[in-house]
Amino acid sequence: MIVSLEWLKDYTDVNVSPEEFCDRMIMSGSNLETMEKAGEDMQKVVVGKIVKIEKHPDADKLVVCQLDVGQEDLLQIVTGAPNVFEGAYVPVALHGSRIPGPLHGQPKQEGGTKITKGKLRGVVSNGMLCSFGELGFDDKVVPVNQRDGIWILSGEYPVGADFAEALNLKDTIIDFEITPNRPDCLSMIGMAREAAATFGTKLKYPDTKCISEEERAADYVDVQVKSPLCRRYVARVVKDVKVEESPWWLQRRLIHAGMRPINNIVDVTNFVMLEYGQPIHAFDIESLAGHKIIVDTAKDGEKFVTLDETERILDKDMLMINDGEKPVAVAGVMGGLNSEIKEDTRTIVIECANFDANSVRTTSKKLGLRTEASGRFEKGIDPNLCSDAADRVCRLIELIGGGKVVGGRVDIYPQPEAPKTVRARVSRINHVLGIDIPREQMVGYLESLEMKVEGSGDDMYVTAPTVRQDIEIEEDIVEEVARLYGYDNLPVTIPKGNNEASQSYERDIKDLARDTMCAMGANEIQTYSFVSPKSVDNVRIDEDSWERAFVKILNPLGEDTSVMRTILTPQMLEVMGRNYSRNLEAMKAFEIGNTFMANMMDPKALPYESDNMSIGLYGPRENFFTLKGMIEELLNKLGIRNVKYVPETEYGVYHPGRCARIVAAHKVQLENGPADEEVELGIMGEVHPDVAEKYGIGVRCYAAELMFENVTELADTEKVYSPLPKYPAMTRDIALLADEDMTVDRIEDVIWEAGTEILKGIKLFDIYRGKQVQEGKKSMAFSLTYRAADRTLTDEEVQAVHGKVLDALKEKLGVTLRDM
């Protein structure tokens, strides 16, 4: 809710600085988003009057203006604005001035734009005439008749006066974050009620009494409510309407509240909506067939053009405002183009209604149309506001000379909203808050919020106004007392009981994994769980693969976020592509996140949810073995041993010759004894060139995805002390001649199996291909470490085991010692 501090002072006295106001409001429960001071960043901008306009001698689209700015001589300024005319009052930025907005067609500058005199096509220009945008106003708030050209002021102003002061632009604009349970604060009166209670001042309500009312509204319009989705409908009528520009005070209020002034009738309805929090709509009565208003649901497939000139397709669940023949508004969302206020409108019907919150929310989502009105209705509005808000609109139209108010109103209100009474106990409030304040002080807080308090002793029976729809139980009263007492004044106490807290083992493993990855120079990223079903197409996933078992979103925001992700790799590649496109030379990143997969056997069953980890990197120094080394270090830190990297050629994400599945062996207990079982931990490799190209990555890149639940299951972070060996080790280096397609892990498996218990280590330290090795073969050099725990080994003992190793390699794999 955007609150103008100057506007707020119309309803309650706020005699403190803006900073103190914000601090006190925060401590009383109003969460503040931003605070800005409007009008203070204009330097040497004054009011000027155009006295004379001449054509530029050397430019068809420029004119030379002579302006009275309160100086002895007229000021000459050259402009290309098409809307200037002699006698117009305009904002003038003098030589050496500074304006908050950018010049036309130029980017915004930090600290504003400095204006100096110069020449335009050879003619001296001593400053600049300013538009709304150049004075720092967002395009969405610029009045309709001021969107093109210079800001032309309505009426006369003292020439030479400071522009911001002359137009009362200096104000403090505060944006409050309003929680869904407090729709009453989506209004100036609601925020004024909070301020009055916080600062102990009186709340002043707006004037709603019209001076003269003629005839009867019921003679002008017939209202019928046929759906219970409309809780109340109030209609008032104004005749002899003059549609024109609103007075500046009204426009200024709307601009500072973030709304665009349109004309006096529409501006008044918007003003009162911001004032009371009650949306209001005005119809041209001549556009209502039979001068009827019928509130009912639409027909399936019915078409309707809203005020934004967009055709909408309706259904039977959408509540509509109809006349005797056709729909004229989507109830609670937006009016129709066929009944809008025009310049020749002479009689209007003012609608002030209350619609079911769920109905408005559903309709707004189905139509993809969200407005200021729908945003308020969705949160729930007090139907008792309708009458006062309608009267206030009529009073303001009368006040600005916009028309004559017709007497009476049509008011259909079948089930009036009654205030609720809640029992609260003084002792309970003090106990919950840990304070000890008297009953009288609590009563004072509650009455400052316009609540009625009855009862005696410990009991308080609190009746809140109907606008406070959030007051339902005793705890709500506790909260009201707490925030007006001041959250900063509440004592700090430590809860009783066992205060020891610990996180789960799974969380510990995730934290260790994060620390390990960050220690290796990788940055953690986080991507959205909602993805496009086309994401797996970009990474060449097979049509019948489990990665396509998506969980679909019933009400997605769009195609790009219509399903839940099954893997993390596509989002990692998107991040890598984005960084590469921004000329980042190298990148290392990882993500631990949830993945989701539909039950492929039973579509009605709940989907599977699991944790995965993705890793991605590219750069001039990065390669396949960089990624493999990172994974090895991660698994080692997590205590996972016996890891193998099995070649994979069929997975479309990766290069078929540079991809491996990551498998770990662990012991399982079967009926006939322990056995080794292999668990797949994930997959890694160089990203396929076609995939990298789709993501705009122009260099070799590498990625991996780990099934983190399997990693967690095998992780063993318990540290066990092992004493240093007492006896020396013996090493044997061997160079083996093997087929080109022979993998290291197959050789190591055979060596471990034949090496008995005295073999303690195997290390590959060289792979050679060259003239001394025949074609189709390769030489692999290993260093084998032998040691016994209880004695010093002899050469004979080592040689016996070493010989068994060589024999096993030859028999099982056909691998022999290389002839040097």
Side-chain angles (χ1 to χ4, degrees), residues 623-665:
N623 54 40
F624 179 91
F625 297 103
T626 306
L627 177 61
K628 182 172 179 284
M630 294 176 70
I631 295 172
E632 287 178 338
E633 176 65 14
L634 172 65
L635 298 180
N636 182 59
K637 285 287 187 182
L638 297 177
I640 300 177
R641 310 286 186 259
N642 302 320
V643 178
K644 295 182 181 180
Y645 297 85
V646 182
E648 170 63 55
T649 60
E650 301 296 328
Y651 197 61
V653 180
Y654 300 107
H655 192 295
R658 299 167 189 152
C659 176
R661 292 196 179 273
I662 307 164
V663 178

Side-chain angles (χ1 to χ4, degrees), residues 22 73 79 97 233 461 466 518 572 576 605 614 633 694-695:
C22 291
D73 298 323
T79 181
S97 63
Y233 197 100
Y461 293 91
T466 53
C518 290
M572 173 61 72
M576 293 168 68
S614 65
E633 176 65 14
K694 285 187 177 180
Y695 287 96

